[in-house]
Amino acid sequence: MGYRTIYTTAKDEDEAMLIAETLVEEKLVACANVIPSMRSVYRWHGRVEHNDEFVVLLKTTAALAEKVVARVKELHSYTVPCVVSWEIKEGNPKYLDWIESETVK
């Protein structure tokens, strides 16, 4: 069994918590960390933009990663939300077992 961390950003705390709580409740992720007050600088439609955002880190199994990405996109207000995933190669085996036990099979 493989494991993933999925990273996304949200426009505000309400959206970040909606994503976090929905995915935990639906058992698509075992845990969501919401980190406030990140400043983002990016190019959008030819202009450099500056916005405060919230970071959301989601822990899940590799088997569920595609569903998590799709669900985040459904819940998100952005036209093109940042939703990226990376493999967890090492970790506390008991924590990784817990991720598996708290997500749908």
Side-chain angles (χ1 to χ4, degrees):
M1 171 70 56
Y3 302 92
R4 297 289 176 119
T5 297
I6 296 175
Y7 168 92
T8 190
T9 58
K11 68 178 181 176
D12 57 28
E13 184 176 11
D14 289 341
E15 183 170 74
M17 291 304 295
L18 171 71
I19 291 167
E21 290 174 352
T22 300
L23 293 173
V24 170
E25 288 173 7
E26 293 177 355
K27 297 190 80 162
L28 291 175
V29 304
C31 177
N33 303 117
V34 176
I35 305 167
S37 194
M38 174 186 72
R39 187 79 170 148
S40 294
V41 180
Y42 56 94
R43 184 174 303 281
W44 183 248
H45 295 294
R47 292 182 24 204
V48 175
E49 301 284 342
H50 301 85
N51 285 304
D52 291 327
E53 295 182 294
F54 280 66
V55 173
V56 184
L57 297 172
L58 307 161
K59 275 75 84 178
T60 192
T61 63
L64 289 172
E66 192 173 313
K67 287 181 183 177
V68 172
V69 170
R71 190 67 173 117
V72 170
K73 288 168 48 181
E74 290 173 0
L75 295 166
H76 216 290
S77 66
Y78 293 174
T79 305
V80 183
C82 169
V83 189
V84 295
S85 167
W86 59 84
E87 181 182 4
I88 298 173
K89 290 190 174 195
E90 298 173 316
N92 175 353
K94 289 184 179 187
Y95 183 77
L96 300 176
D97 290 345
W98 174 79
I99 291 173
E100 189 169 347
S101 73
E102 293 301 320
T103 54
V104 294
K105 308 304 178 262

